Amino acid sequence: MCFYNRISNKNRKLMINSMFRMRFCGLKRACRWSGLGLLVWMLSGVGPAWSQAPDKVSIFVAAEKGDHERAVAWVEGIWMSQLRNRLKDSQQYLGGSSTEELEAIKKAKKNFVEGKKAYEDLSPDKALIKFTKSIQLFESASSNLWDLKPVARSWMYVGISHLLSGKRKKAEQAFNQAVVLDPTIDIRGATKEADKVKVFDEVKKQTGLTAQGVLEIRAKPHAAVFVNGRLVGATPVRLRLRKGKNFVMLRREGYQTWGTVANVTGQTGRFSHNMKPLSARGNWYQTGVLAVQHVGQAKSMNPSVSAFGAISQSRYLLLAKVKFVKGGKQISIRAAAYDVVNKKQLAWGG
C-alpha cells in the first residue's frame, strides 16, 4: 500500500515512534488507540501543514506465522480506510487498471451537476434523467467508490423529482435508498418546501426502524470488506444491513479490487469471490515477504529491504508482521520503518 505524506524530520520521527504503540483490540473498534490514531491524524492531512515536499511511503503487511491471513486483511483494511485520501492505488502501480471506473465516476458527477441545474430550472423530467444516469454510472464504478454521499444525493434528488411529478411512492423509495447509503443526509439543503421535507423526514424515520437484512460475504484470499464506504471487517463476515442497495467492496493488497451493489432483502444473501491477483503481484509480493522477515532492530538495512524499496519505488518503508492473539480478539504487530535513500532503519517495535 502506498501513500504520500508531507512531514518534517521532527514529526517524521514522532510519527514512526508512535506507530509502534499500535494495538488492535476487539476488531470492531479499530483506530481508537493513541499510536495508530496519532499516525492516522498526521497522515490524513488534518494535522499541521508540512513544509517539505511529499515523500512516497510503502507499507507491506504479512502474517507472522501460521494461518493469520485474516489479520493481514484487517490491518490493511484499517490503513486503507483511514489513509485513503493519501493512498496511491496499488492497482495502478502493480499493473491493474481502474481507468474505466474512474472515468465513470467523473461522468456520474457531471450528470449530477447537470441534473441539479435542470432541477433548479424547474425541469423535473430532465433532472430525473440526469440523476438516474448519475446513479447508474456510480453503480458501475462500485469497486473504486469510497464516498457514497454523491450517490445518496442523486437518490435524494430523484425522490424530489418524483414528488414534483406527483409520484409519491417512487419518491419514498428513492428517499429510502438515499438514507440507506448516507444516514446523515438531509433534504433541507435541496429544498425547504414543507410538503417535500415532511415526506423525506417520514421516510428517514421509518428507514431507521426498518428490519435489517443479512448478508454473508466470503473471499479467497481473505480481504477487507467495505460497505457503503465504511470498513466493516475482513472476510468471512456476516452483516446486518438496511434493506435496499448497499455498495460492497473487497480490497486486498496485490489483488484487483472487487465491488458490487448488493440488493439486501429480508432473506439472507450470500456471495463468495475469488480475488484476482494483479499482473505484477508476484515479484512485488515475494520481495515484500522477504523484507518483512527482517523486521526487528538493526543498524543497517537488509538487502531484501533495500530490494523492496527499489521495487516499490518508495523512499520510506513501513513493514509489519501480524498475527491473532487471545483467541482472535486482538492482533499483535511487529513493525519497522526504513529510510531507503539513506539506507537506515528509523525505528522498530511491537
Side-chain angles (χ1 to χ4, degrees), residues 86-307:
R86 289 194 177 273
L87 290 179
K88 173 177 171 56
D89 195 334
S90 62
Q91 289 189 52
Q92 296 178 10
Y93 168 68
L94 292 172
S97 176
S98 57
T99 304
E100 292 182 1
E101 291 198 357
L102 294 176
E103 187 63 29
I105 293 173
K106 290 181 181 178
K107 291 180 179 178
K109 292 179 178 179
K110 181 181 179 181
N111 274 271
F112 175 82
V113 172
E114 293 173 350
K116 189 175 180 182
K117 185 178 186 304
Y119 164 75
E120 293 170 347
D121 291 341
L122 303 180
S123 301
D125 292 339
K126 182 178 179 181
L128 182 59
I129 292 172
K130 289 294 183 180
F131 289 129
T132 302
K133 182 63 175 178
S134 176
I135 291 169
Q136 292 172 346
L137 287 166
F138 276 129
E139 291 183 352
S140 72
S142 59
S143 64
N144 272 286
L145 199 60
W146 289 100
D147 184 10
L148 274 294
K149 291 184 183 296
V151 196
R153 288 198 297 271
S154 293
W155 275 111
M156 182 183 69
Y157 275 103
V158 165
I160 296 173
S161 299
H162 282 314
L163 284 180
L164 290 172
S165 301
K167 301 175 182 177
R168 174 161 177 158
K169 188 168 184 61
K170 287 188 175 182
E172 291 176 343
Q173 292 172 346
F175 287 154
N176 177 79
Q177 186 59 62
V179 176
V180 167
L181 297 178
D182 179 12
T184 66
I185 195 170
D186 191 1
I187 196 174
R188 290 162 183 79
T191 180
K192 292 183 172 58
E193 295 182 28
D195 58 334
K196 297 179 180 61
V197 172
K198 182 179 180 181
V199 173
F200 178 84
D201 285 347
E202 288 175 354
V203 171
K204 187 173 184 179
K205 181 179 180 180
Q206 187 61 36
T207 301
L209 300 174
T210 300
Q212 296 175 323
V214 177
L215 188 64
E216 296 179 353
I217 307 170
R218 295 178 177 273
K220 292 183 179 180
H222 296 292
V225 182
F226 296 83
V227 175
N228 298 334
R230 294 180 290 275
L231 176 67
V232 296
T235 57
V237 293
R238 179 182 172 89
L239 307 170
R240 296 192 65 83
L241 304 173
R242 287 177 176 170
K243 292 181 182 179
K245 292 184 176 182
N246 288 263
F247 282 69
V248 178
M249 185 194 309
L250 300 181
R251 296 184 73 97
R252 181 69 189 269
E253 284 295 276
Y255 292 84
Q256 182 176 334
T257 298
W258 182 82
T260 188
V261 181
N263 190 18
V264 178
T265 64
Q267 298 179 338
T268 299
R270 299 179 178 88
F271 67 78
S272 179
H273 179 70
N274 292 324
M275 303 294 286
K276 182 179 179 180
L278 294 172
S279 58
R281 178 181 182 272
N283 193 23
W284 168 84
Y285 179 77
Q286 292 170 6
T287 309
V289 169
L290 289 174
V292 168
Q293 300 311 311
H294 298 281
V295 167
Q297 189 172 20
K299 294 182 179 179
S300 60
M301 286 201 325
N302 184 277
S304 63
V305 177
S306 299

